[in-house]
Amino acid sequence: MTAIQPADPTAPSVPPKMMTSLRVEDDSIHVVNQLLLPHEIQWDACESVEDAYDAIKSMRIRGAPAIASLAALTISLLLSQRLKSPKADLIPATSASAYSLPQLATSSALGEWVNSVVDHLQSSRPTAVNLSEAMNRIRSTLKAYTGDSAEELAKQLIETCQAVHANDLERNKQMSKLGADWLFERRAKDGKKKLKVMTVCNTGSLATSGYGTALGVITNLFETGRLERAYYTQSTPYHQGSRLTSLELSTLGIPSCMICDTMVGSLFQHQDIDAVIVGADRVVKNGDTANKIGTYQAAALAKLHGIPFMVIAPVTTLDMNISHGKDIHIEQRPPIEATLARGVVVSPTSDLTTPSDNSTAPTKPPQAVVQITPNAIGKGDNLIYNPSFDVTPAKLITCVVTEVGVAENAGDKEEIDLSKVI
Ligand SMILES: CSC[C@@H](O)[C@@H](O)C(=O)COP(=O)(O)O
């Protein structure tokens, strides 16, 4: 994957109003490197299956809908390039690819290539069902094709791949409005005019094709004058909250407050929080929901404090093939990731009592990854537990909101009936 810098490297990296994780043009895809955000905007070209796999696995792009989009759009890009140049060598000679697309000789040869590519991309991150759902849609197109024209099959596959990305923005706006109205109606009955809500991880336009899921609801509340403040957890060890949600909220001008993951209970004791609003990586048949690690404890505390707990997820995040949350495959991230923190270097001699402002610095501030634990941690008997997600049982969830509607859990039931919102 090659990186391109903004045109003027001395210009401050001012993000556009609505952030985006993908820049898609006719003959190229670029991914904003989320590991470098919020301090640097670097767009990496995604030119091969390996580039896409790498970007997803290394979390340069993350968020359930966004990784599905990148995987599908990469397949679409390679197929389009092949249709335009039937005989060309599509992969630069410098980067040998085990997944370079052969010439379109027969539909069955193309089918073999597609099957190996979707299997590979799907294995990059196992918990977010959006990626498997997108790869399954591609498999279905392949299965349904009965002709023998490789070109025709390629065109159908391109259509399927592009649809994965295309509908995301609109449905995010729909479910955001549904979720915001549902919540406001309930809180307005108690005389509330402006709401304080809390979220976990990053679920905004960086995690989706735009607007976001849980962050979409927060944005809708803000845009309609119904939000007092959005609280968000740092979401360690990857800091999706402190690096990305912070950036999105401040860019949109949404009043916010960051808390450490350990402060959720204290927040609920000291602030009148109207709802916890989260996204999801997989909602299974009984309503159990896998989402960023830390979601479950927020749900348990919300229940203790009588605070509604809302899950906002597109239909593509609902997995009706798994009955119970205990069967969700939870991704374990490499232990070392929990020992590290990344950010811009702050001089030890500088004033650490106020946040530094490097936005007008003439050159990009250097970034560094630092180790926060002793060397022994992660070795021998000094273990590290680092699951990327946890599962919140349906009985702790007040409602699941999709673009189709709101499925409520009326009365602490063990299951939520999702049949009307799918
Ligand atoms: C639309 S976002 C829903 C989830 O994908 C989000 O909450 C989340 O857990 C992301 O995890 P990540 O590990 O950053 O990909």
Side-chain angles (χ1 to χ4, degrees):
M1 188 174 269
T2 52
I4 53 168
Q5 301 297 333
D8 174 9
T10 60
S13 305
V14 181
K17 267 276 175 207
M18 181 67 83
M19 315 221 60
T20 171
S21 55
L22 287 169
R23 201 191 268 163
V24 186
E25 271 145 37
D26 262 3
D27 52 0
S28 66
I29 301 173
H30 287 88
V31 176
V32 74
N33 185 339
Q34 294 192 29
L35 296 175
L36 299 179
L37 289 176
H39 304 293
E40 184 180 340
I41 296 178
Q42 174 182 291
W43 289 95
D44 296 342
C46 177
E47 297 171 331
S48 65
V49 172
E50 281 85 352
D51 281 351
Y53 180 93
D54 233 58
I56 296 169
K57 182 104 193 151
S58 66
M59 297 186 53
R60 272 174 289 153
I61 186 167
R62 27 69 48 203
I67 62 177
S69 285
L70 177 64
L73 289 171
T74 303
I75 297 174
S76 168
L77 175 74
L78 295 175
L79 289 167
S80 310
Q81 286 175 342
R82 177 50 83 208
L83 282 174
K84 276 189 211 146
S85 319
K87 295 206 179 341
D89 187 2
L90 293 180
I91 299 297
T94 46
S95 57
S97 167
Y99 296 95
S100 66
L101 176 53
Q103 291 177 15
L104 297 178
T106 62
S107 57
S108 63
L110 176 58
E112 265 174 45
W113 178 82
V114 170
N115 275 325
S116 70
V117 166
V118 294
D119 287 352
H120 183 58
L121 289 173
Q122 188 173 333
S123 69
S124 57
R125 294 197 74 193
T127 305
V129 72
N130 308 58
L131 178 57
S132 337
E133 192 272 343
M135 298 302 100
N136 281 340
R137 272 203 252 172
I138 296 167
R139 288 187 185 98
S140 301
T141 301
L142 190 59
K143 220 165 155 196
Y145 185 72
T146 51
D148 53 13
S149 159
E151 283 81 7
E152 182 47 38
L153 173 58
K155 284 181 195 154
Q156 291 189 14
L157 289 165
I158 289 171
E159 215 172 286
T160 303
C161 289
Q162 294 197 342
V164 170
H165 180 65
N167 306 328
D168 198 35
L169 177 63
E170 220 25 63
R171 70 184 176 206
N172 288 347
K173 286 190 172 164
Q174 278 163 16
M175 65 189 170
S176 295
K177 180 173 177 349
L178 280 172
D181 290 349
W182 182 91
L183 176 64
F184 191 74
E185 232 172 71
R186 267 139 203 90
R187 300 307 290 136
K189 281 186 195 142
D190 300 331
K192 277 287 187 118
K193 297 214 162 43
K194 288 201 172 212
L195 308 185
K196 291 184 193 173
V197 300
M198 192 199 93
T199 192
V200 174
C201 196
N202 171 260
T203 61
S205 53
L206 286 169
T208 62
S209 303
Y211 210 73
T213 56
L215 217 56
V217 173
I218 291 169
T219 305
N220 181 291
L221 287 170
F222 171 68
E223 286 172 340
T224 53
R226 300 179 289 181
L227 182 78
E228 182 172 334
R229 189 166 301 279
Y231 295 81
Y232 59 96
T233 59
Q234 288 187 324
S235 308
T236 56
Y238 251 88
H239 289 269
Q240 290 93 332
S242 26
R243 294 187 302 104
L244 307 174
T245 301
S246 55
L247 179 63
E248 291 203 40
L249 289 172
S250 58
T251 304
L252 293 168
I254 297 179
S256 68
C257 179
M258 181 182 82
I259 64 166
C260 300
D261 300 4
T262 45
M263 297 171 186
V264 176
S266 167
L267 182 75
F268 292 170
Q269 282 175 332
H270 296 287
Q271 289 288 337
D272 183 17
I273 299 295
D274 293 289
V276 177
I277 311 176
V278 300
D281 286 80
R282 193 179 294 247
V283 182
V284 299
K285 199 166 175 203
N286 70 350
D288 289 357
T289 295
N291 192 49
K292 181 52 52 198
I293 192 74
T295 302
Y296 170 41
Q297 65 204 34
L301 282 162
K303 174 66 76 186
L304 198 63
H305 287 263
I307 298 170
F309 185 90
M310 305 171 67
V311 172
I312 318 297
V315 168
T316 49
T317 305
L318 271 43
D319 181 358
M320 293 296 149
N321 295 318
I322 295 184
S323 306
H324 196 281
K326 69 177 170 26
D327 295 321
I328 300 175
H329 179 171
I330 297 294
E331 175 186 13
Q332 301 291 323
R333 295 294 301 178
I336 189 170
E337 290 179 354
T339 71
L340 307 174
R342 179 196 287 264
V344 290
V345 177
V346 178
S347 155
T349 55
S350 67
D351 174 13
L352 296 181
T353 58
T354 47
S356 65
D357 180 4
N358 51 43
S359 58
T360 53
T363 52
K364 270 183 293 190
Q367 291 208 38
V369 178
V370 295
Q371 180 185 313
I372 44 185
T373 51
N375 288 336
I377 302 306
K379 295 186 190 117
D381 214 18
N382 302 307
L383 307 181
I384 296 168
Y385 177 58
N386 192 18
S388 194
F389 304 97
D390 56 29
V391 176
T392 300
K395 67 173 175 215
L396 298 179
I397 297 171
T398 315
C399 66
V400 174
V401 183
T402 71
E403 65 272 34
V404 177
V406 182
E408 290 184 32
N409 183 351
D412 298 347
K413 295 218 178 74
E414 298 283 325
E415 292 197 10
I416 301 176
D417 178 6
L418 298 174
S419 60
K420 293 205 174 60
V421 297
I422 195 157

